[in-house]
Structure formats: structure tokens, C-alpha cells
Amino acid sequence: MHRHDTSMEVLTQAVVRYAIDRVRLDPPPLDSPRTMAELRAMAGHTVTPKGVGGLEALRVFGDVLAPACISTDHPRFLSFVPAAPTEASVLFDLVVGASSIYAGSWMEGGGAVFAENEALRWIADLAGLPPEAGGAFVSGGTAGNLSALIAARWKWRYDADGAHDRTRGLMLTSAGAHSSIKQAARAMDADVILVPADAAGRMRHDALRSAVAELDDTDRERLFAIIATSGTTNAGVIDDLSGAADVCAELGVWFHVDGAYGGAALAAPSVRDRFIGIERADSFIVDPHKWLFAPFDSCALLYRDPRIAKAAHTQHAEYLDVLHADEDWNPSDYAHHLSRRARGLPLWFSLATYGTDAYRDAVETTLEVAHAGARLISASGFCELVIEPELSIVIFRRVGWTPDQYQAWSDEQLRSGHSFVVPTSWAGETVLRYCVVNPNTTVDDIASILESLR
Ligand SMILES: *Cc1c(COP(=O)(O)O)cnc(C)c1O
């Protein structure tokens, strides 16, 4: 199994060829989901005592399994948050896989960690975090938020000198925050209070202040973090970050900014001023697999003072302590993980390949296309905007449609292979939403989707 003989050479060529052909597809087919029963009938049994052989398994993948996965990088995949990894980042993902790097610690993975930290530094600079800021790449925003909030709670308990070691913690965030914040609270056995958002879905300074004022003394003592969202997942709205930073500073509580989707727009000068206040965050996340053109899975997690994260997250074990002897930068110390893939390397390689100006331009392109699409909606006469878009997510209604009509239209778009745009809800109403993170998505793509809504 571990030998490179002639049949393995044939398989090598076939696998690499498959990967290269997939990267070159422009655009890839949209594809569509299949049921378990359909896949069982089409794929048969592939895990057998003798094996079906690599070429046959690759055929099953290419003919049956891959087409049963919607291509998130299709330019008219506009649901949820799509993906748009650059060619360089995808190709380098192959290299990372081939390189067997353990990137949990500097000792084994120093070269990879060095390069990952270069990419983290670029993001920290975009956010205006201080030179000593740092962190690690984790699997996604869910893992990033949890890890940051564990560090926040550690700090709160440490500062209380034992008084809160058995106190259940409390966090404040906006009603528009991502579900992963509530999930982190569940995992940490902490509570969350949701601050009501304004009509556009933004957490404002005054609402946050009122929520704090309504806390009784016990809850005020329990409060260890305020979480603002810089680009809500449903509407792309940025909370008042300066206002939240002010409240955190006054109360002495941790300020976490969830920019899993929207943080990428820090690279876009046209919207950079909407993020003012982010430079005061104690921790910040952004998912390069969303809007920074990296493949799954990748979340950049940054701390203003990484020493706090290290105290909260470092795992001590007899076999690990050799790694903590000096001041080496061990990514495993900065999140809820230990073994890890060097998942920041595809972003690093792509940044090194194209340069950061290309990132700025690509994010600006997606913003322009999303906003041009919004203008088409306003001018259509049969669709209207629900709120003015702030980033690259647009929420709109097809005037007069029922939830069933939206769903039937969406199903037909996917069935025909034209687009993937699913309904969402806004203030209880079923509406449509698109999210542009792919620089290959054009205004014509959006126009053709709108035309089908006529
Ligand atoms: C997508 C998203 C998350 C979760 O990120 P995953 O990478 O899917 O775990 C968290 N917060 C926000 C604002 C998001 O958009």
C-alpha cells in the first residue's frame, strides 16, 4: 500500500489529472443533491475486503459522487455563503495534503506556521490590530468563535482571582448574530442575551447600552464578553463596532468581533470605514473559505493579546511538555484543537502568488456586482429591496409571491442547473437573498436570475 509501483504511477497521473481538470472548469457544472437511496443504487459498495481499485473509485467519485455535491464555486451559486477559491489556493491545497505537515506546533511545522503567520499578519494589519496580535487558523467560524470565547471566559475568571470559577458566564450579542454564538454558549454552559437589532438588523450602541443597563448586579458580574458581528450572515449588516468597543472598555469585558463572512471586506477601501472600532477587538475571526478566496476549511482567529489565549488553550500532557519548553509559536496553543492541518497555507500561497492588491480588487468587484444587482432589483418593477445592502448580501422580495412560490422557483432553478438561490426570512416574511463572494459572478448572472422571477 505504501509503495510507488507502476500501477500507482498510473493512479497518480489519473488523480492529478482529475484535480487539474476540475480546477480548469470555467464554470463547473452546478450539480444537484441526490438521495441516499439513489447514491446507493448508483455507487454500489466501494469499501470491500479486496478494494475496487483506485481508478474505479475515482470513476465512481467523478461520475456519481461529485455530481451529487453542488459546486459552491459556480458563479450562480448565490445561497448561504458561496466559495470562490483561487486556482493557486486550490493547487496549493494539493501540496499541503502531499506534504504530511503536522502544523500544531513549531517544532514539527515551523516552516508552515511561519507562512501561516504571514497571512494572519496581513489580516491583523487590515483590522488594525497591534504588532503582538496573533492566533491560528482553525476549521471554521464556529470553531473560531468558540475558541475566542473560551479565552474571554478564562480572562474573566483569572481576573476574578477564583471568585468566578464556578459562576456561569454570560455573553451579550445581537439578535442578528450567527447561530454559532449560541452554540458556543451551549458548549461552554454559558448564557447569551440577545440585544434587539434595529430595523436593518444592526446592533446599535444605544440598544447595547440599554441591554447592559437592564442587567441586575449578578448578571453584570457574570458578563464576560460582548460579541459584535461585522457582516451578519443573513443580511451582511455590520454592527456598531465603535459603540460596542466603548461599552466593553467601560465595563472591562472582552470584545469579540465575528467577521466570518464580512471581515474580508476590510480589504476593500470602499467600505473600510464601516469597520471602525474593529481595531479595538480583543479577538476577531474571518473565514478565508468564505470571501478571501481560499478552499474549505479555513478560519483566521486572531487575538489582541495571544498570551491570554495560550493560557486558556494550551494542553498539558507528559508527552507534550517538551513542546512548551521555550517561546515557540505553537498554533495548538491558541484554539480548541491540537493536531491540525496547515490549513492557512493555501491562503498564504495565493496571497504570495497574486499579491494583496489583487485581493482588494477582487473583493471590490464582488461588492460592485452585488450592488449593481441591487439596483436592477429596485428598477425591476416586480422585485424590491428589503434593506439597502451594506456588503455583498442582498435581501429582496418578489412582490406578491407566497412562500410556496419562492420555494418552487428556487427548486426549479437548481433542477435546471441555472442557479442556486434559496429563500430566507426577514422579520417573519419569506424573501430571497443572494450573496456574492465570487469575482466570476457577473451582473448578467444576476440579471438572468431576476428575469426568471418575472
Ligand atoms: C459562516 C459564519 C459563521 C460560521 O462559520 P463556519 O465556518 O461555517 O463554522 C460564524 N459567524 C458568521 C457571521 C458567519 O457568517
Side-chain angles (χ1 to χ4, degrees), residues 31 38 52 170 174 232-233 283 334 340 388:
D31 295 328
E38 285 171 332
V52 297
L170 172 68
S174 153
T232 57
T233 322
S283 53
Y334 299 99
R340 64 183 290 277
E388 274 303 316

Side-chain angles (χ1 to χ4, degrees), residues 287-426:
D287 277 356
H289 68 219
K290 285 183 169 167
W291 200 3
L292 284 177
F293 320 120
F296 297 109
D297 49 13
S298 179
C299 167
L301 162 63
L302 283 162
Y303 301 92
R304 165 176 300 278
D305 183 351
R307 290 171 307 174
I308 298 169
K310 187 170 179 175
H313 287 293
T314 300
Q315 297 190 27
H316 293 282
E318 282 86 355
Y319 81 98
L320 290 175
D321 282 341
V322 61
L323 302 173
H324 304 305
D326 52 33
E327 289 303 292
D328 285 348
W329 190 273
N330 300 314
S332 62
D333 292 343
Y334 299 99
H336 184 70
H337 60 190
L338 184 63
S339 296
R340 64 183 290 277
R341 174 182 178 82
R343 59 166 61 81
L345 284 186
L347 173 66
W348 162 76
F349 185 72
S350 185
L351 284 167
T353 299
Y354 303 111
T356 57
D357 287 356
Y359 276 72
R360 175 198 65 206
D361 296 347
V363 174
E364 290 286 12
T365 298
T366 55
L367 286 165
E368 278 162 25
V369 168
H371 293 178
R375 288 192 293 276
L376 292 180
I377 289 168
S378 297
S380 70
F382 52 92
C383 288
E384 56 193 28
L385 294 177
V386 173
I387 55 167
E388 274 303 316
E390 187 160 19
L391 293 175
S392 69
I393 293 174
V394 176
I395 299 211
F396 63 106
R397 67 173 62 84
R398 165 62 174 85
V399 179
W401 271 17
T402 63
D404 288 347
Q405 283 175 294
Y406 282 114
Q407 193 57 53
W409 170 84
S410 175
D411 291 346
E412 176 53 24
Q413 284 287 300
L414 181 60
R415 198 204 53 74
S416 68
H418 186 250
S419 79
F420 185 47
V421 178
V422 295
T424 185
S425 70
W426 183 260

Side-chain angles (χ1 to χ4, degrees), residues 225-290:
I226 292 174
I227 302 123
T229 310
S230 65
T232 57
T233 322
N234 199 25
V237 165
I238 303 172
D239 289 341
D240 175 358
L241 302 181
S242 284
D246 287 345
V247 174
C248 288
E250 282 162 33
L251 298 175
V253 307
W254 187 279
F255 179 33
H256 176 64
V257 177
D258 178 359
Y261 151 70
L266 287 166
S270 67
V271 291
R272 178 59 181 84
D273 61 354
R274 295 168 195 239
F275 291 87
I276 289 172
I278 200 165
E279 69 286 352
R280 294 161 70 192
D282 291 297
S283 53
F284 164 60
I285 65 155
V286 55
D287 277 356
H289 68 219
K290 285 183 169 167

